[in-house]
Amino acid sequence: MTVQTFVPGQAGIHMTEAARAQARREIERADAGGIRLDLDESGCSGYMYELNFVEAPEDGDRRFEVDGVVLYVPEKWLAMLNGLEIDYVKEGVNSLFKFRNPNATGECGCGESFTVEDMDEI
């Protein structure tokens, strides 16, 4: 077992070029100021990612900016999302944002929700 130390000021969330390009298009289309990445405690495995186009952060959000894409993340989820990579992929006839979370210890069969165990160690 390895133990990671989470340092809030050094939280990292990354986006691929494909994700940044699609995010810019969708932010412009929605006439929004950025994207809020939140987690919802639901789904078959425990947590689901939620992306919303917003004008401003909510209280308790941390602001990230990657090549002109503004991303707001609630502080309470930073440890669980530290190291997250967001990609934009085509799967068959569908295109979607895909999340690669190094803290996830399991996912449901459909890939829409994930589990994180031992959050005290992150």
Side-chain angles (χ1 to χ4, degrees):
M1 170 179 14
T2 61
V3 177
Q4 280 185 309
T5 302
F6 173 67
V7 180
Q10 297 175 2
I13 296 177
H14 311 281
M15 297 178 81
T16 65
E17 179 52 45
R20 292 190 304 266
Q22 183 63 26
R24 282 188 210 101
R25 284 189 290 272
E26 292 192 26
I27 289 169
E28 185 177 324
R29 188 177 316 139
D31 196 27
I35 298 173
R36 185 165 195 266
L37 170 61
D38 203 354
L39 293 178
D40 187 19
E41 293 184 51
S42 69
C44 9
S45 287
Y47 297 96
M48 293 179 71
Y49 299 103
E50 244 182 50
L51 290 178
N52 295 296
F53 298 95
V54 297
E55 277 304 312
E58 293 184 12
D59 287 341
D61 283 356
R62 169 82 56 88
R63 184 181 191 272
F64 295 87
E65 186 168 346
V66 182
D67 289 337
V69 176
V70 176
L71 187 67
Y72 302 111
V73 180
E75 295 262 348
K76 68 180 182 177
W77 300 127
L78 287 178
M80 195 178 301
L81 296 175
N82 190 35
L84 179 72
E85 180 185 69
I86 304 170
D87 197 4
Y88 188 74
V89 299
K90 291 187 178 190
E91 293 181 352
V93 296
N94 298 313
S95 297
L96 61 138
F97 286 102
K98 186 112 176 156
F99 302 92
R100 293 184 193 96
N101 189 338
N103 303 304
T105 56
E107 292 183 346
C108 67
C110 64
E112 290 195 16
S113 64
F114 67 98
T115 300
V116 174
E117 294 178 15
D118 300 325
M119 277 305 297
D120 294 335
E121 294 180 11
I122 295 178

